[in-house]
Amino acid sequence: MTVTGHDTETDTVRALGGLEDDRASVRLRAALAIGSTPDPRFVGTLVERCAVEPEFFVRDMLTWALTRHPVSVTLPQLLREVRSEGTRARSQALHTLSKIGDGRAWPAITRALLTDADDEVARSAWRAAVVLVPEGEEAALAALLATQLGRGGRETRLSLSQALVALGDAMAPAVDAATRAPEPLVRAHALATQRLLREPDAGFTLAVEEAKRVVALGGHGGSHGSGRPGDSAGSGEGSGSSGSSGSSGSIEEGP
């Protein structure tokens, strides 16, 4: 049986309609279909859907579909989305930019995004920043990221530690300074991040426990030489309990 251009067009139109289906499985298959037959005309629809899609695995497929399209088409639309008022739109646009990895997106990774009040937006910005940062600007990025140490619950702190570790030795001065911060949560998070740089295989939980002990004893750890970042810092961004983002209080929740 011969597949005609009309048949392909019909399939794509059907897939676009599937993105609006109430069933997540249908939306997932629709995103897969669109990514499997890229067409620049549908980039806008994919970007718009990213901003409202409630299911993580569908959003991830939408991102994959966008990466299958020409960067010349996707990049301008994603750069507009990072300035959106919607938190999900900003977060998913940043996530997609990190997957595309085009350095022309770097100027869009602003201080405002890296310190965004929404944890998901900030986490996406951190991941995008370490992918897109130009050579020679790693230390400045690390200094900015270090201002967020101690923030949020476990997943947020893990994301920040992973981003700092990805910068390698460039993170050392800023994180070392944070080990002497007055806030116990900041010191503990900085110490845990240092250990992840030295021992990527140690895991985030062990690094946090060691940091708690040091802080409880009134120490700050200091620098312990340089290490090489691994592909993954810790146990991954799985589920975990959220902690307080304040600068005081118990450190039992840890980074």
Side-chain angles (χ1 to χ4, degrees):
M1 177 180 175
T2 302
V3 178
T4 66
H6 176 72
D7 292 332
T8 302
E9 185 81 8
T10 300
D11 290 343
T12 305
V13 171
R14 186 181 298 116
L16 285 172
L19 293 177
E20 306 293 332
D21 197 279
D22 291 338
R23 295 162 293 178
S25 60
V26 174
R27 299 197 302 275
L28 181 70
R29 289 195 298 271
L32 174 61
I34 295 171
S36 299
T37 55
D39 187 322
R41 292 176 298 170
F42 306 133
V43 167
T45 301
L46 290 170
V47 171
E48 290 171 5
R49 186 64 207 177
C50 282
V52 297
E53 173 55 51
E55 298 293 341
F56 167 78
F57 61 93
V58 179
R59 292 199 303 272
D60 220 36
M61 187 63 76
L62 290 166
T63 283
W64 172 79
L66 284 166
T67 66
R68 297 268 295 159
H69 288 79
V71 176
S72 60
V73 179
T74 57
L75 189 59
Q77 299 198 45
L78 291 169
L79 293 179
R80 283 195 294 271
E81 281 294 282
V82 301
R83 299 190 295 271
S84 169
E85 293 184 2
T87 55
R88 182 168 290 161
R90 296 200 303 276
S91 176
Q92 198 62 26
L94 287 163
H95 174 66
T96 306
L97 288 173
S98 74
K99 296 300 182 183
I100 293 174
D102 191 299
R104 288 174 294 179
W106 169 247
I109 311 301
T110 61
R111 174 183 290 270
L113 288 171
L114 293 168
T115 60
D116 198 285
D118 184 89
D119 285 345
E120 288 304 312
V121 174
R123 291 171 67 196
S124 295
W126 300 338
R127 289 192 290 266
V130 298
V131 170
L132 301 172
V133 61
E135 185 176 355
E137 295 191 33
E138 295 88 350
L141 174 59
L144 178 52
L145 294 181
T147 66
Q148 303 300 293
L149 286 165
R151 166 183 175 165
R154 183 185 183 280
E155 290 185 20
T156 298
R157 296 178 196 175
L158 173 56
S159 291
L160 182 56
S161 290
Q162 289 175 325
L164 284 163
V165 166
L167 295 173
D169 293 341
M171 79 164 200
V175 176
D176 184 56
T179 65
R180 296 184 290 275
E183 302 90 345
L185 285 173
V186 175
R187 295 203 306 274
H189 194 180
L191 288 167
T193 304
Q194 283 185 331
R195 181 172 180 185
L196 285 178
L197 180 65
R198 300 193 310 271
E199 304 173 52
D201 296 330
F204 191 65
T205 299
L206 289 177
V208 168
E209 291 305 316
E210 178 185 271
K212 287 179 183 177
R213 288 192 292 272
V214 172
V215 172
L217 292 171
H220 61 74
S223 10
H224 296 270
S226 61
R228 294 179 62 85
D231 291 334
S232 173
S235 57
E237 294 186 18
S239 61
S241 60
S242 295
S244 168
S245 61
S247 59
S248 60
S250 171
I251 63 170
E252 288 306 307
E253 292 162 85

